[in-house]
């Protein structure tokens, strides 16, 4: 049931990309501070939002700008993390259902889709590529390079961001995704043997060649962001950020704000925990879920951490908002240049998550939530020792 793209403005692919670029540059002209997001309101309501033709539908009606200047990228205010559709999140629907879900997200206004070479070594990219057939012109497909693979097997103790590997991954991602240009091409984890300047310069060349639209980095510290940005303007930092992991607030978000770089929180629901549908009895699929290896997802830790979900529940109960919506809306209310990428395998959760982009919290609501959550100790680290050694402090 492939559909020709025919948006309400009758715009073709190049029209879409031009409009997206123009929207970004309009924003940049308007923002004399050079800060990502400028004075754009954190959350617009539907009636005040742009005419997307989606009124009344569970959809993302607002747009946000990641990055600034030549690196500006105008995207839906919430994206879609595609990993769990067939990798690392236990049971998943069949291929046809996953494709239908991605297309439903597109129809509901999502323009930023996130995948990576490493999600099943091409498996997730290929699924996203199939879903985007006939739709690729109206959305951005972002992917990531940098993990080391030998014959399709990841060498978990090493990373590879050599220029040759970045180029190899880029060609594979373009082919798997069936697109001419990758939306954001992120370095997945730093490679201690390849200076970030070399990485930035390689992506800069790929941008010049038209194979990549924008540059991103994951799990890097403020110093690395500055060094990379000096060589090739960074559009977005993608790192873990949610109620149970707020490290980026200390240095990373301030440097993003200062340099005009966007921020894409990954695992914004803490891998599902903040959605309230996981408990100490949840059994993750041994062959397809990394959560069972994470300290924070051991039964005792889950039982203790459920107190945090209960805070979100209590806050949302009187407002008619689910815990997942509280978690996502809180992130989006933090900064106007934040674009979360929750993942789901279900239409009902997609609808719930997209609606969260409409909720505006007052300063006192934000404070109330943050104080209530901060009073509860988070039990269990987010990663095991090896994974932790790969994220910059
Ligand atoms: N850069 C990096 O290093 C990195 C690392 C990890 C992830 N990522 C990216 O971030 C994306 C999202 O991360 P993630 O999948 O780890 O975590 P997440 O988005 O925090 O959580 C996904 C889980 O939450 C559940 N969920 C979604 N909506 C829900 C709702 N409304 N209520 C209850 N449960 C809900 C999903 O289950 P259902 O399917 O049942 O809805 C799924 O198992 C990934 O797809 C990937 O693109 C990047």
């Amino acid at each position: 049931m492939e559909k020709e793209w025919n948006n309400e403005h009758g715009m073709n692919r190049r029209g879409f990309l031009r409009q997206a670029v123009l929207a970004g540059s309009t924003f940049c002209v308007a923002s004399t501070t050079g800060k990502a997001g400028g004075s754009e309101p954190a959350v617009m309501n539907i009636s005040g939002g742009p005419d997307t033709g989606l009124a009344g539908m569970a959809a993302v009606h607002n747009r946000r700008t990641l990055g600034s200047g030549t690196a500006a990228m105008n995207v839906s205010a919430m994206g879609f993390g595609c990993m769990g559709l067939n990798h690392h999140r236990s049971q998943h629907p069949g291929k046809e259902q996953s494709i239908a879900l991605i297309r439903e997200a597109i129809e509901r206004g999502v323009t930023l889709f996130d995948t990576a070479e490493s999600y099943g070594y091409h498996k997730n990219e290929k699924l996203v590529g199939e879903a985007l057939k006939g739709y690729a012109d109206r959305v951005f497909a972002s992917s990531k390079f940098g993990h080391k693979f030998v014959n399709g097997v990841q060498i978990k103790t090493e990373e590879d961001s050599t220029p040759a590997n970045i180029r190899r991954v880029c060609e594979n991602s373009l082919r798997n995704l069936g697109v001419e240009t990758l939306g954001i091409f992120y370095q997945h984890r730093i490679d201690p043997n390849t200076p970030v300047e070399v990485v930035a310069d390689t992506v800069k060349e790929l941008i010049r060649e038209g194979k990549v639209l924008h540059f991103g980095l994951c799990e890097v510290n403020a110093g690395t962001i500055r060094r990379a940005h000096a060589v090739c303007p960074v559009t977005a930092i993608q790192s873990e950020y949610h109620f149970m992991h707020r490290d980026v607030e200390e240095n990373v978000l301030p440097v993003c704000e200062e340099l005009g770089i966007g921020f894409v929180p990954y695992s914004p629901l803490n891998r599902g925990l903040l959605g309230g549908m996981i408990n100490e009895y949840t059994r993750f699929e041994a062959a397809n879920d990394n959560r069972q290896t994470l300290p924070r997802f051991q039964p005792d830790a889950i039982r203790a951490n459920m107190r945090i979900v209960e805070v979100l529940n209590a806050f949302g109960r009187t407002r008619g908002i689910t815990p997942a919506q509280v978690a996502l809306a809180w992130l989006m209310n933090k900064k106007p240049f934040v674009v979360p990428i929750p993942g789901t395998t279900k239409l009902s959760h997609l609808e719930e998550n997209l609606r969260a982009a409409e909720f505006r919290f007052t300063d006192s609501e934000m404070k109330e939530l943050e104080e209530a959550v901060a009073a509860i100790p988070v039990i269990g680290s987010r990663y095991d020792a090896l994974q932790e050694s790969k994220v910059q402090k």
Side-chain angles (χ1 to χ4, degrees), residues 229-250:
H229 192 67
V231 176
C232 177
V234 177
T235 289
I237 301 301
Q238 183 183 127
S239 294
E240 182 167 348
Y241 184 31
H242 48 73
F243 268 119
M244 294 171 66
H245 184 77
R246 296 177 57 185
D247 289 9
V248 295
E249 288 176 9
E250 204 176 315

Side-chain angles (χ1 to χ4, degrees), residues 81 83 89 114 189 238 267 269 343-346 349 353:
M83 179 184 79
R89 290 292 169 264
D114 192 83
R189 291 292 182 271
Q238 183 183 127
S267 302
L269 297 172
T344 183
T345 55
K346 299 177 181 66
H349 285 168
N353 298 345

